[in-house]
């Protein structure tokens, strides 16, 4: 009983004495608390500069900053600001002969609080193994409709392709048509709408071309997925890519401009997988149906006369309403045979030219061409040739040929 009574008495004494002693402890430790605060501020500033430098380096590399690091910086600024106000507020009272004890108590208490906060924040900074993470930017064409024209004659084809993508039993879809007809533009618009409608979580695009480079195709797809290859062989990269694609619940892979059979297994595309759909473009239906085994193939035809005229007029401007040019313009558009690339090329070449050059262009377009390329429409070839001939200066022409 005596021991219990003593324990109770001690506890009561602590409760009575502590509120009296504690304020005096703050007054007594006034200078030491301020000194500790200055030291912690110096350390926190150094840590903040170090973290900020890492953040700047990460941003230059195109990486996003971890939210906890952003929060750490905000808290660091708040502590540094509070500490600065405390230290600045002491300068006026430091040299007084009779310092105000209440002021010392308040300042010392605030200083001790900020010292503790700074120390805790410095401990957090030591746990930052990284300050950022890699992100994969959205392809520009997925968020922009620049260059796409919503031609009425193609709406049914666009909707048919989208409906095919919605069919769970269809995994391989093709779109075909002559060179310059706008296959790439249409499948990209399909992808934009499919992504907006949440048909797919991811859309990746790769250009195949006449001479497929498997490693290049793998690289184009991997870049969009944020995947890095450490394997040297095509087969090793294919396994890695296939594994990564299968992690996506709903992904659309666009393979543009296929000329001949492309072994999807060698690339690493898990065709037939319910989560992965493949949309291809080719100039020949035979390539899609016979060599790539596409389940649905859709023809992308040329523009009708009204659409062709509207496109030409939009690119050239109102000047073609001039009676001298209108009949010439209509004949030029007819010579383009509804091929968008031909209309676009010739319209840009003639936009600021005089009537004589328009007449010369029409003669060139209606004259049989001596040049030809496999898979390239004569209209596309002739308009490209005409555009080249209208380049001003040999330097521009040489640059054009070098790019080709």
């Amino acid at each position: 009983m005596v021991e219990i009574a003593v324990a109770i008495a001690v506890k009561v004494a602590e409760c009575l004495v502590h509120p009296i002693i504690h304020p005096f402890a703050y007054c007594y430790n006034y200078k030491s608390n301020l000194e500790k605060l200055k030291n912690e501020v110096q350390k926190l500033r150094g840590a903040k500069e170090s973290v900020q430098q890492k953040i700047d380096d990460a941003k230059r590399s195109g990486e996003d900053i971890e939210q906890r690091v952003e929060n750490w910086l905000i808290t660091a600024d708040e502590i540094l600001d509070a500490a600065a106000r405390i230290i600045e507020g002491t300068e006026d009272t430091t040299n007084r002969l009779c310092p105000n004890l209440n002021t010392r108590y308040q300042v010392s208490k605030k200083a001790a609080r900020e010292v503790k906060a700074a120390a805790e924040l410095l401990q957090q900074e030591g746990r930052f193994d990284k300050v950022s993470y890699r992100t994969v930017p959205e392809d520009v064409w997925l968020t922009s409709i620049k260059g796409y024209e919503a031609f009425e004659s193609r709406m049914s084809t666009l909707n048919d392709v989208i409906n095919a993508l919605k069919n769970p039993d269809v995994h391989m879809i093709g779109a075909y048509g002559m060179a310059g007809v706008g296959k790439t533009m249409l499948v990209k618009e399909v992808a934009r709408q499919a992504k907006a409608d949440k048909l797919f979580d991811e859309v990746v695009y790769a250009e195949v071309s006449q001479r497929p480079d498997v490693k290049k195709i793998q690289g184009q797809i991997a870049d969009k997925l944020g995947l890095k290859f450490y394997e040297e062989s095509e087969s090793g990269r294919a396994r890695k890519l296939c594994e990564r694609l299968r992690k996506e619940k709903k992904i659309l892979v666009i393979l543009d401009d296929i000329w001949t059979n492309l072994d999807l297994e060698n690339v690493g595309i898990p065709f037939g997988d319910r989560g992965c759909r493949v949309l291809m473009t080719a100039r020949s239906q035979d390539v899609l149906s016979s060599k790539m085994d596409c389940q649905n193939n859709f023809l992308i035809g040329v523009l009708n006369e009204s659409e062709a005229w509207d496109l030409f007029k939009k690119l050239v401007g109102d000047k073609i309403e001039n009676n001298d040019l209108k009949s010439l313009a209509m004949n030029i558009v007819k010579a383009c045979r509804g091929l968008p690339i031909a209309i676009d090329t010739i319209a840009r070449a003639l936009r600021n030219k005089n009537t004589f050059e328009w007449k010369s262009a029409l003669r060139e377009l209606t004259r049989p061409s001596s040049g030809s390329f496999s898979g390239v429409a004569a209209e596309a070839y002739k308009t490209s040739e005409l555009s080249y001939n209208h380049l001003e200066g040999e330097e521009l022409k040489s640059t054009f040929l070098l790019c080709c």
Side-chain angles (χ1 to χ4, degrees), residues 119-170:
E120 289 174 353
L121 202 64
L122 285 166
Q123 285 182 345
Q124 290 180 27
E125 187 266 339
R127 291 195 291 269
F128 290 156
D129 52 339
K130 61 176 185 174
V131 300
S132 61
Y133 57 94
R134 280 190 70 216
T135 56
V136 182
E138 197 80 88
D139 283 325
V140 175
W141 62 265
L142 265 175
T143 56
S144 169
I145 60 171
K146 184 179 180 180
Y148 176 73
E149 297 286 343
F151 299 115
E152 186 63 33
S153 63
R154 296 191 175 179
M155 290 306 298
S156 61
T157 304
L158 185 143
N159 291 328
D160 287 344
V161 176
I162 290 177
N163 288 332
L165 289 172
K166 292 178 180 179
N167 187 338
D169 298 321
V170 176

Side-chain angles (χ1 to χ4, degrees), residues 369-373 378 381:
S369 176
S370 58
S372 64
F373 291 94
Y381 174 82

